[in-house]
Amino acid sequence: MKSAAADDPRGALIATARAMAAAGLNRGTAGNVSVRSGEGFHITPTGMAYDRLEPDDIPAMALDGTPLGRRKPSSEWRFHRDIYLARPEAGAVVHAHSPFATSIACLRRDIPPFHYMIARFGGDTVRCAAYATFGTQELSDAALAALEGRNACLLANHGMLAWGRDLDQALALAVELEELCGQYWHACQLGEPVLLGAAEMAVVLEKFSGYGQQESA
Ligand SMILES: [Zn+2]
C-alpha cells in the first residue's frame, strides 16, 4: 500500500496531509506537514486544500530557506527547517491545530505525567512553547527550546507539533499526543489528575528506549 507513495516523497507527503483530517487533527487548511528529502525538505503549500493537492503543488525548500516550485510553502516552514537542522534523525514533521492540544496550549500549560504514555515523547512532560507570532523565527526558536529532548510540543495559543523518523511515525505521534491531550482534558473535568512520580516515569522512559527500536524493526 505504501510502495507507490514511498517512490515519491511528495506523494507520501500528500497522503499524510490527507490522513491528518481523517485522524481528526485538522479541518480546512490549518496545519502542515513536511518530509526531509535530499539536502532539504518538501512541505505542504500555503492555503491549499489537501484533497486537491498534486505532487507538483508541493514546494521543496533548501535548509537555508530557499523555496523551489510553483507554489508558496507553508508560512510555518521555519520550525520545520530548524527541526531538520537541529535533529539529524528527524525525517518528517507534522504540525496541527487539533482541538484538545490547542485547547491546552491556550492555557499555556505543559502536559504533566498524568499518564505513562507521556514518556513516548521523550520525557516526563510535553512542554508548551512560549508564544510568538506564527511563521516567525521567534516561534521556531521557542518551539526548538520546548523540543529539547522531546519529539513533540505544544505551541502557546496556537497548536502542536511532532517529529519522527518518517511521515508515518510523525503522524502517529501527533495522533497519540492529541489523544493524550483529550484524556488529560477529560481527567481535569473530574478533578485534579494524580501525577506519576519521577521514579515511575524513569521506569517507563527506560522501557520506551527499547520500544522505539522494536517498532522500527
Ligand atoms: Zn499553525
Side-chain angles (χ1 to χ4, degrees), residues 10-29:
R10 299 174 306 171
L13 181 73
I14 291 170
T16 303
R18 290 178 181 157
M20 287 171 74
L25 291 176
N26 268 346
R27 288 186 190 146
T29 59

Side-chain angles (χ1 to χ4, degrees), residues 60-130:
M61 190 166 250
L63 291 176
D64 66 2
T66 307
L68 287 168
R70 66 180 182 179
R71 305 286 187 195
K72 257 180 91 175
S74 165
S75 60
E76 301 191 284
W77 59 268
R78 283 183 178 80
F79 55 69
H80 293 260
R81 186 270 310 270
D82 291 344
I83 289 169
Y84 295 126
L85 283 172
R87 302 295 187 94
E89 68 274 37
V93 179
V94 168
H95 164 59
H97 300 179
S98 52
F100 286 111
T102 303
S103 299
I104 294 167
C106 290
L107 303 179
R108 302 192 181 186
R109 192 182 284 183
D110 294 347
I111 309 170
F114 78 101
H115 191 293
Y116 75 86
M117 284 295 282
I118 287 292
R120 190 86 171 85
F121 302 92
D124 58 6
T125 59
V126 173
R127 301 186 193 98
C128 183

Side-chain angles (χ1 to χ4, degrees), residues 30-32 76 79 95-97 134 139 155 158-160:
N32 35 74
E76 301 191 284
F79 55 69
H95 164 59
H97 300 179
F134 77 95
L139 175 61
L155 303 174
H158 183 158
M160 59 111 114

